[in-house]
């Protein structure tokens, strides 16, 4: 049976073209075997280190591709780009805009992650802090985009980001020709929708496990109920997973591509951060360690399987790193 499509505009031809284009600006991330994690389930476990990219997260792939496409559509005369973000997406947009010589304005909620804010500033983007949570901040970015004519790169709804995130699956499966299960963190869902599309086109029988924080379960709830569900809060240390609202279109795509969801607690993410730091020598923020946390929680379900865990970001604050190292 043919693998389902995530979007009418997403094809493997476009994904492979994005892979060729991104090689020039986003180095292929490291892919390594973990003997320690492999021992948990008796199979083989690999880590895909998107945490080591130029902005410390996977998001630069989608942001760069989307801005490059819009630049081409406007004959290189894009006035500017704007977005709203909890941090990693904003840094990715700032980096992509800097590399393509386009002005950028990044809207962040009040009291943002200082490590991620500094990343954004490093690339010369203007920073505006407004709103208590991301969905509020998004409204200010949309208003500015409407008034200025700048391109609003909306994480979770910009289709041109999907070919970029899909390239991660290509990099893995170009090297490792058999995988039983992928663990993929889910925030605004751009990662899992692009990644799962490519993974199931290349390897139709592979299992995709979406991972969310227990305190930010909007897409997991939507997956279970079969329609878009929003939550009243998303109070989690994993700011990269801190999403309250879902869309019907994204939920439909996830339903077609994802096999199950696993929710992880704050302590489980901190424990996974500690494991990655101390056992793998890999730095990860809570959202970046979520896939590892989910595998550690469910390893017995994947005995003798080949599993790949996406480590999606490394922009942890000092206090969270200290908390992680103090966990048992």
């Amino acid at each position: 049976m043919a693998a389902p499509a995530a979007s009418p505009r997403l094809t493997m031809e476009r994904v492979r073209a994005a892979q060729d284009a991104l090689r020039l600006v986003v180095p292929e991330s490291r892919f390594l075997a973990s003997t320690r994690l492999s021992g948990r389930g008796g199979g083989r476990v690999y880590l895909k280190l998107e945490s080591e990219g130029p902005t410390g997260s996977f998001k630069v792939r989608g942001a760069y591709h989307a801005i490059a496409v819009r630049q081409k559509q406007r004959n290189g005369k894009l006035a500017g780009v704007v977005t709203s973000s909890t941090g990693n997406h904003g840094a990715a947009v700032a980096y992509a805009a800097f590399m393509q010589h386009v002005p950028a304005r990044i809207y962040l909620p009040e009291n943002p992650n200082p490590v991620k804010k500094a990343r954004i500033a490093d690339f010369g983007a203007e920073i505006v802090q407004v709103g208590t949570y991301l969905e509020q901040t998004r409204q200010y970015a949309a208003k500015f985009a409407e008034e200025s004519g700048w391109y609003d790169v909306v994480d979770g709804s910009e289709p041109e980001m999907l070919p970029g995130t899909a390239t991660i699956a290509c990099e893995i499966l170009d090297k490792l020709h058999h995988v039983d299960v992928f663990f993929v963190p889910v925030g605004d869902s751009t990662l899992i929708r692009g990644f799962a599309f490519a993974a199931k086109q290349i390897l139709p029988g592979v299992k995709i496990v979406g991972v969310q924080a227990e305190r930010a379960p909007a897409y997991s709830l939507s997956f279970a109920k079969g329609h878009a569900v929003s939550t009243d809060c998303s109070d989690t240390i994993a700011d990269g997973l801190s999403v309250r609202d879902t869309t019907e279109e994204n939920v439909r795509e996830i339903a077609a591509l994802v096999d199950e969801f696993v929710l992880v607690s704050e302590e489980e993410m901190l424990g996974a951060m500690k494991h990655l730091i101390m056992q793998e020598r890999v730095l990860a923020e809570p959202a970046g360690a979520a896939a590892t946390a989910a595998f550690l929680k469910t390893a017995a379900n994947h005995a003798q399987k080949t599993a790949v865990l996406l480590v999606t970001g490394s922009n942890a604050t000092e206090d969270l790193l200290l908390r992680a190292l103090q966990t048992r």
Side-chain angles (χ1 to χ4, degrees):
M1 182 176 70
S7 166
R9 301 180 63 183
L10 188 57
T11 65
M12 282 306 297
E13 183 179 9
R14 297 195 68 229
V15 171
R16 290 299 188 180
Q19 188 179 14
D20 290 339
L22 287 172
R23 283 193 183 100
L24 301 175
V25 289
V26 181
E28 183 171 325
S29 60
R30 281 200 299 149
F31 183 57
L32 55 88
S34 169
T35 55
R36 290 177 173 85
L37 288 171
S38 296
R40 299 295 182 104
R44 293 185 176 182
V45 180
Y46 297 84
L47 301 173
K48 180 63 168 169
L49 302 184
E50 289 295 298
S51 51
E52 296 180 350
T55 65
S57 89
F58 75 93
K59 287 182 179 280
V60 69
R61 294 174 182 261
Y64 193 95
H65 184 267
I67 292 171
V69 168
R70 187 58 63 94
Q71 275 273 65
K72 185 176 181 180
Q73 290 171 346
R74 298 194 179 180
N75 298 314
K77 297 179 180 178
L78 189 60
V81 297
V82 59
T83 198
S84 52
S85 172
T86 57
N88 279 340
H89 174 64
V93 170
Y95 172 82
F98 173 79
M99 293 295 289
Q100 297 180 63
H101 310 290
V102 179
R105 176 185 281 200
I106 312 299
Y107 284 79
L108 301 174
E110 296 164 0
N111 303 311
N113 177 317
V115 177
K116 296 178 181 181
K117 180 181 176 181
R119 287 268 196 191
I120 295 167
D122 285 344
F123 301 119
E126 179 186 359
I127 297 172
V128 180
Q129 293 178 213
V130 62
T132 56
Y133 52 87
L134 179 61
E135 285 75 14
Q136 288 182 336
T137 304
R138 185 165 286 164
Q139 295 172 12
Y140 289 94
K143 185 174 185 293
F144 174 78
E146 183 178 357
E147 293 171 348
S148 66
W150 285 22
Y151 170 36
D152 190 1
V153 191
V154 184
D155 197 7
S157 62
E158 172 51 71
E160 294 299 347
M161 295 180 67
L162 295 174
T165 59
T167 63
I168 303 170
C170 294
E171 287 185 6
I172 295 168
L173 293 173
D174 286 347
K175 292 181 172 62
L176 186 65
H177 301 306
H178 175 75
V179 177
D180 293 299
V181 56
F182 286 109
F183 286 80
V184 185
V186 181
D188 267 321
S189 83
T190 296
L191 172 60
I192 198 163
R193 290 184 293 121
F195 181 96
F197 168 81
K200 290 205 169 184
Q201 288 287 327
I202 299 169
L203 195 62
V206 72
K207 183 176 183 179
I208 306 291
V209 177
V211 183
Q212 287 206 291
E214 288 181 351
R215 296 169 70 168
Y219 272 106
S220 177
L221 291 172
S222 300
F223 180 80
K225 293 181 179 293
H227 61 84
V229 173
S230 296
T231 58
D232 292 332
C233 66
S234 53
D235 182 20
T236 173
I237 57 172
D239 51 6
L241 306 182
S242 182
V243 172
R244 301 182 180 201
D245 294 338
T246 66
T247 71
E248 291 291 351
E249 181 180 0
N250 291 356
V251 171
R252 283 194 300 271
E253 292 179 7
I254 285 172
L257 293 165
V258 177
D259 296 284
E260 67 177 78
F261 269 80
V262 173
L263 296 177
V264 291
S265 69
E266 309 292 280
E267 286 302 310
E268 285 166 342
M269 286 186 283
L270 290 169
M273 288 173 65
K274 182 177 181 178
H275 173 90
L276 288 169
I277 294 168
M278 300 304 297
Q279 303 299 323
E280 314 291 347
R281 295 300 186 256
V282 169
L283 178 63
E285 63 188 88
T292 303
F295 174 79
L296 289 169
K297 184 174 185 174
T298 64
N301 298 337
H302 305 287
Q304 307 303 317
K305 301 293 186 182
T306 298
V308 176
L309 322 180
L310 271 60
V311 182
T312 52
S314 61
N315 294 311
T317 60
E318 183 177 350
D319 67 310
L320 280 175
L321 289 173
L322 290 173
R323 283 180 62 185
L325 292 173
Q326 292 166 1
T327 59
R328 294 185 177 181

